[in-house]
Amino acid sequence: MTAPALDHSPGFLAEARRTTLGKVFLSPKGGITGAYLLALVLVALLAPWITPYPYDAQNLPLASQPPSLANWLGTDEFGRDVLSRIMYGARTSLSVSVTAITVSVFIGMCLGAAAAYFGGLLDRFITAVIDLSWSFPELLIALILVAIIGPGLTSTMIAIGVAYLAQFTRLTRAEILALKNETYIEATIGLGASHSHVVFRHLLPNAMAPVIICGMLATGDAIILEATLGFFGLGAQPPVPSWGAMMSSGTAQIFKAPWVIIFPGLVIAITVVAINLFGDALIRALDIKSKIREG
Amino acid sequence: MLSYTIRRLLLLIPVFLVVSIVIFLIIHLVPGDPIDNLVRVGSTPEQKAEITARYGLDRPLVEQYLIWLSQLAQGDLGTAIVMRRPVADLIAQNLPYSLTLGGLALLFSTVLGIAAGVIAAMNKEGRIDRTVMTGVLFGSTMPSFWLGLILILVFAVQLRWFPVSGARSWESLVLPVLTIGLGGMALVARVTRIAMLETAGKDFVLLLHAKGLPARRIQLRHVLRHALLPVVTILGLRIGWVLGGAVTVEYVFARPGLGMLLIKALSQHDYPVVQACLLMLAMAVMLGTLLGDLIQAAMDPRVRSALT
């Protein structure tokens, strides 16, 4: 461990990760939020075995019951247990957001790297498209895309991925542009390295950390976007529970059974705050400046 | 300054053309035919073809686009296929609601956001800083439709202070403005805080301290003025966002507005309405960015001199 955290030696990320993760989890902010996020992922993975009730078990005599000992968070209009549905909903909401953002980060990195590395017409074209979509709210882009493809979980993923693509492309492009003129890159090119070698072995690994953290923070926004699409009835189709879809069907019962709406929304807010604070702790541990926040 | 303004306005024209092409193409990629919503069940293919021809939907895309653009230049946005009214009327009817809601929400989030950012920056790294910034963060992480529903539950149903929905009186504006404003506050507060902390490290601030000015006065009179520049840029960018991002809030509070119109038109595949709505939003975004840049140039002599 002689290399400092932001040394430009290849593979510094892999090396730093071991120590920074420890740093993140040992800080109070990162520790608490990290534990919460880990627990949430575990709940999502283990949902079929640990929920008190199946997510689709209807019990009409017990419909719209307030929170009680049997149903900790109450029941919805079909007598389904809200807690069980939130736990199952974590599966849908997390997997959709994480998948969409992961793919989006990957494509954004490739586009951003290509634009910055090759420059010229390609760069201008990509920048123009990105600037254009950047100026539209993500929600609108996603809504229009879902209208084109049709409702469902797959189109929700595509819509979220495309909606956030601009952000990752922009950030990668800026990072690579800054790195491109470093002496060691010029030296590598001078030694006759191929384009792909320079981009994938030298530029991307060094530009990656901020983009990945940006992706992590965007996952929080993606959870909200997924919930909003679900709320409009465009995401998960019944009876599959997602946090947004639960609130969508709960709206009609808002006066009779407000807990059907209150709890999923609270879980979303807490989760997104946790992701943000964890991201902050990570940024601090990695010593990356505030450029991620301002895009 | 004047020549800069004119140059920026002229630059909008090519951008506008590109945006209009993109919007036109997106709309015509949407599967589902507005004609299906019009013809009665059991009508013959000939009847359907006749209606298609009447709206010009059978012509090549390029021709349709040119027709649309030339009509647009004359201020004619076409006729809504499903809603059967001039699109310009629909827009004119809904735009004031969107502008009122968006404007007030922007004002709300600007004033409170800057205040929160200043308070946080003046207590840098202290307990107040952390409390304010975490509170602001919470405001931005609540899904807006959920926040709207909760506000309805508390203030409209339990306390009966404000109406549940609609847009008849000024009281009906309070909850929607709160919903959007609370969400938008976080970004403004964050940018203000960071900008103030960055400015506080500049040499001229050190000089002010050396002159013996009280710290509070330095923060409010000098540091804040510099820190407002990036905030203005962000606000310019937000104008379009506030208009377009209000979709969910308009939906929850059953308020008329551009967002509601767009949602309705999208579900009915009413091409002309969707096109017009998107075009309005895109124009709002472009004008907002322009306005932000102009205000920045007016505020900052350095930006102005860099232009000439």
Side-chain angles (χ1 to χ4, degrees):
Chain A
M1 285 314 300
T2 45
L6 261 182
D7 190 283
H8 285 309
S9 61
F12 88 91
L13 196 73
E15 207 174 294
R17 197 179 270 146
R18 250 176 283 137
T19 54
T20 35
L21 260 197
K23 229 188 274 172
V24 170
F25 274 97
L26 287 178
S27 72
K29 220 179 185 180
I32 297 170
T33 54
Y36 169 80
L37 292 174
L38 270 183
L40 191 69
V41 170
L42 274 182
V43 165
L45 287 175
L46 300 175
W49 296 281
I50 58 171
T51 53
Y53 303 88
Y55 68 87
D56 53 355
Q58 301 194 1
N59 191 350
L60 289 177
L62 280 180
S64 302
Q65 291 295 310
S68 64
L69 273 181
N71 306 93
W72 289 3
L73 301 183
T75 60
D76 68 3
E77 80 263 38
F78 298 112
R80 296 176 296 196
D81 182 42
V82 171
L83 176 62
S84 307
R85 286 179 67 74
I86 289 183
M87 289 163 87
Y88 260 98
R91 253 170 121 78
T92 321
S93 298
L94 290 188
S95 61
V96 167
S97 331
V98 171
T99 315
I101 293 294
T102 309
V103 175
S104 184
V105 164
F106 181 74
I107 297 177
M109 274 198 215
C110 294
L111 286 178
Y117 186 71
F118 294 111
L121 256 183
L122 182 75
D123 184 25
R124 266 207 236 149
F125 178 73
I126 292 181
T127 315
V129 174
I130 292 302
D131 277 348
L132 189 66
S133 74
W134 175 262
S135 50
F136 275 92
E138 279 109 9
L139 173 63
L140 271 190
I141 299 179
L143 270 178
I144 293 164
L145 280 173
V146 173
I148 294 178
I149 318 169
L153 281 183
T154 319
S155 46
T156 303
M157 278 191 241
I158 297 176
I160 294 176
V162 175
Y164 286 98
L165 190 58
Q167 202 173 324
F168 307 135
T169 312
R170 220 176 146 104
L171 188 57
T172 312
R173 181 175 169 277
E175 284 290 309
I176 300 244
L177 272 184
L179 283 177
K180 211 173 110 181
N181 296 326
E182 296 275 336
T183 342
Y184 77 98
I185 296 294
E186 275 175 34
T188 316
I189 297 174
L191 284 172
S194 67
H195 289 319
S196 68
H197 180 85
V198 173
V199 171
F200 287 106
R201 284 300 301 272
H202 294 287
L203 287 175
L204 272 180
N206 284 312
M208 230 154 67
V211 186
I212 287 177
I213 291 182
C214 179
M216 202 189 133
L217 294 173
T219 310
D221 296 339
I223 290 176
I224 296 181
L225 187 53
E226 192 270 337
T228 308
L229 290 176
F231 179 71
F232 280 120
L234 300 169
Q237 299 301 309
V240 178
S242 91
W243 294 339
M246 285 179 72
M247 289 190 267
S248 170
S249 54
T251 317
Q253 311 284 320
I254 177 167
F255 305 130
K256 227 171 91 197
W259 45 87
V260 180
I261 289 181
I262 293 175
F263 293 119
L266 265 185
V267 173
I268 293 180
I270 294 173
T271 307
V272 180
V273 167
I275 292 177
N276 272 283
L277 294 181
F278 188 75
D280 277 351
L282 206 58
I283 291 173
R284 192 158 292 192
L286 278 173
D287 197 23
I288 303 173
K289 297 277 147 44
S290 52
K291 61 185 163 192
I292 294 164
R293 281 292 188 189
E294 271 66 56
Chain B
M1 187 71 202
L2 185 70
S3 72
Y4 174 64
T5 313
I6 294 172
R7 213 169 53 223
R8 285 297 312 260
L9 277 173
L10 285 178
L11 257 179
L12 279 185
I13 296 173
V15 180
F16 177 82
L17 281 179
V18 173
V19 169
S20 72
I21 291 177
V22 171
I23 288 174
F24 183 82
L25 280 181
I26 290 176
I27 299 314
H28 286 80
L29 288 174
V30 179
D33 207 326
I35 303 302
D36 290 340
N37 287 331
L38 272 186
V39 290
R40 279 186 214 93
V41 181
S43 55
T44 59
E46 288 79 41
Q47 280 171 316
K48 204 180 153 185
E50 190 205 309
I51 298 179
T52 311
R54 196 195 306 160
Y55 288 103
L57 293 173
D58 54 343
R59 293 187 215 168
L61 272 187
V62 180
E63 204 182 322
Q64 284 191 44
Y65 171 72
L66 288 178
I67 293 175
W68 179 58
L69 199 63
S70 67
Q71 283 176 340
L72 204 64
Q74 298 157 24
D76 179 9
L77 290 166
T79 310
I81 299 180
V82 181
M83 296 180 211
R84 301 196 183 201
R85 294 180 47 198
V87 178
D89 279 9
L90 286 170
I91 298 276
Q93 199 179 28
N94 284 287
L95 193 60
Y97 290 106
S98 284
L99 287 178
T100 329
L101 177 59
L104 286 175
L106 199 64
L107 191 71
F108 179 91
S109 56
T110 308
V111 173
L112 284 193
I114 292 181
V118 170
I119 292 174
M122 286 170 77
N123 299 282
K124 179 181 141 192
E125 303 286 321
R127 195 183 300 155
I128 299 178
D129 181 13
R130 249 173 258 152
T131 316
V132 169
M133 292 320 284
T134 312
V136 164
L137 176 65
F138 246 107
S140 73
T141 57
M142 288 183 281
S144 57
F145 64 90
W146 182 73
L147 184 59
L149 290 172
I150 298 296
L151 289 178
I152 290 180
L153 265 180
V154 176
F155 292 103
V157 179
Q158 296 293 328
L159 298 171
R160 295 179 182 280
W161 287 356
F162 305 106
V164 171
S165 60
R168 274 198 207 94
S169 56
W170 68 267
E171 285 113 327
S172 64
L173 262 171
V174 175
L175 294 183
V177 166
L178 262 181
T179 312
I180 304 180
L182 282 177
M185 232 177 94
L187 186 68
V188 181
R190 216 181 273 144
V191 175
T192 310
R193 179 178 173 274
I194 291 178
M196 281 198 58
L197 292 184
E198 263 170 21
T199 316
K202 294 252 169 78
D203 284 345
F204 79 92
V205 180
L206 194 67
L207 180 71
L208 290 173
H209 278 292
K211 267 169 67 183
L213 279 183
R216 182 183 299 263
R217 204 184 136 109
I218 295 178
Q219 290 283 348
L220 292 180
R221 286 286 300 272
H222 299 276
V223 176
L224 180 60
R225 267 176 69 180
H226 278 256
L228 279 182
L229 284 174
V231 178
V232 167
T233 316
I234 291 286
L235 286 178
L237 289 174
R238 293 292 295 188
I239 291 180
W241 282 69
V242 167
L243 281 185
V247 181
T248 33
V249 175
E250 284 171 3
Y251 183 82
V252 167
F253 288 94
R255 273 182 67 85
L258 272 189
M260 272 299 258
L261 188 64
L262 177 63
I263 291 267
K264 202 169 145 201
L266 266 178
S267 64
Q268 292 174 333
H269 300 294
D270 204 335
Y271 294 162
V273 184
V274 178
Q275 274 171 352
C277 283
L278 288 180
L279 207 63
M280 291 318 260
L281 290 172
M283 272 167 63
V285 171
M286 291 188 296
L287 290 178
T289 317
L290 176 70
L291 203 65
D293 286 356
L294 289 182
I295 295 179
Q296 198 166 36
M299 275 172 72
D300 190 345
R302 284 168 304 180
V303 175
R304 245 176 333 206
S305 62
L307 302 172
T308 48

